[in-house]
Amino acid sequence: MTVSTMGQKSNPVLVVMAAGIGSRYSGLKQVEPIGPHDELLLGYSIYDALRAGFNKVIFIISREIEKAFRSRIDQTVDRHCQHVYVYQELDNLPAGFEIPPSRQKPWGTAHAVMCSNDVLAAPFGVINADDCAVSMNMWGFTPRLILELQKRFSSFLTDNSTNLLQPEFYPPEVVNQLLDEKRATVKVLPTQERWFGVTYRQDRSEVQKAVLNLIHEGVYPRFLWR
């Protein structure tokens, strides 16, 4: 799915949302080995993106997972493409707003994308770190979306001011607002590909089998990052 808010052409950037702790998985699923040589599921998504013409990857992570995440990524992706790290932090708020004392969870995926403002100046795709082939949250945007996210995040905080412990700020909500205001267009790109994702720990074995099948079919090499 793509959203266009202005005309612009250049090499796209891949934005990977990887800040979540994975409470339903009971562990750091972003760095769980999936491939036959301990490849990450995220690695296959990046491999696909590089083949499709993306030339840079922005990883949105949290400080809590930084050491474990970077130790895996820097061993593989570092040799194959430019990449940078951005931190999604609770105190990344507009002027005049403060973190509620009991708030612990991140502000949501739209906030995560917004945090990449300083390193994002090209059209970009957004995916999750724990999905492969076709992400359930795969979007294409132009940089102008960042300005909309910043503006609407302030509105989100104001609208939820009486209860800021749980609400999260999501891209589809912003896209729907822009559509209602006739300030954006959306194009849905159909695909025959299957989606593979890891939400619960029991999902891992099924995704491992699916990746092996794709390797046997020649979609991916046996050694992903040689």
Side-chain angles (χ1 to χ4, degrees), residues 72-91:
R72 292 299 312 274
I73 293 298
D74 290 345
Q75 293 174 6
T76 54
V77 177
D78 186 59
R79 303 192 305 271
H80 297 272
C81 71
Q82 179 187 3
H83 65 283
V84 296
Y85 295 95
V86 169
Y87 303 97
Q88 182 182 18
E89 298 178 305
L90 280 176
D91 61 359

Side-chain angles (χ1 to χ4, degrees), residues 6 8-13 15 56 58 116-124 141-144 146:
M6 63 183 293
Q8 184 171 357
K9 289 186 178 180
S10 62
N11 287 336
V13 174
V15 176
K56 179 180 178 180
I58 298 173
S116 64
N117 176 51
D118 291 340
V119 294
L120 191 56
F124 61 99
F141 294 112
T142 61
R144 188 173 176 181
I146 298 295

Side-chain angles (χ1 to χ4, degrees), residues 117-172:
N117 176 51
D118 291 340
V119 294
L120 191 56
F124 61 99
V126 181
I127 65 170
N128 290 332
D130 52 350
D131 296 323
C132 185
V134 176
S135 169
M136 297 295 282
N137 287 298
M138 187 168 69
W139 292 85
F141 294 112
T142 61
R144 188 173 176 181
L145 180 81
I146 298 295
L147 298 176
E148 295 293 341
L149 292 178
Q150 292 172 330
K151 178 174 67 176
R152 292 164 196 269
F153 184 48
S154 294
S155 298
F156 164 85
L157 294 172
T158 299
D159 293 343
N160 292 280
S161 60
T162 59
N163 178 24
L164 281 174
L165 297 184
Q166 297 299 325
E168 295 187 45
F169 186 47
Y170 295 118

Side-chain angles (χ1 to χ4, degrees), residues 40-86:
L40 307 182
L41 185 58
L42 168 60
Y44 292 95
S45 295
I46 295 173
Y47 182 87
D48 288 338
L50 296 179
R51 289 194 296 180
F54 288 77
N55 66 350
K56 179 180 178 180
V57 181
I58 298 173
F59 296 106
I60 303 174
I61 62 175
S62 64
R63 299 285 181 181
E64 290 83 355
I65 73 168
E66 178 180 12
K67 183 176 181 180
F69 188 85
R70 293 187 66 155
S71 67
R72 292 299 312 274
I73 293 298
D74 290 345
Q75 293 174 6
T76 54
V77 177
D78 186 59
R79 303 192 305 271
H80 297 272
C81 71
Q82 179 187 3
H83 65 283
V84 296
Y85 295 95
V86 169

Side-chain angles (χ1 to χ4, degrees), residues 173-185:
E173 296 172 358
V174 174
V175 171
N176 284 335
Q177 292 170 8
L178 291 169
L179 287 173
D180 289 341
E181 297 166 9
K182 301 187 184 307
R183 299 186 57 231
T185 59

Side-chain angles (χ1 to χ4, degrees), residues 97-119:
F97 293 94
E98 297 181 354
I99 307 171
S102 299
R103 177 86 189 200
Q104 295 184 349
K105 65 190 305 185
W107 290 110
T109 49
H111 177 262
V113 175
M114 192 186 74
C115 291
S116 64
N117 176 51
D118 291 340
V119 294

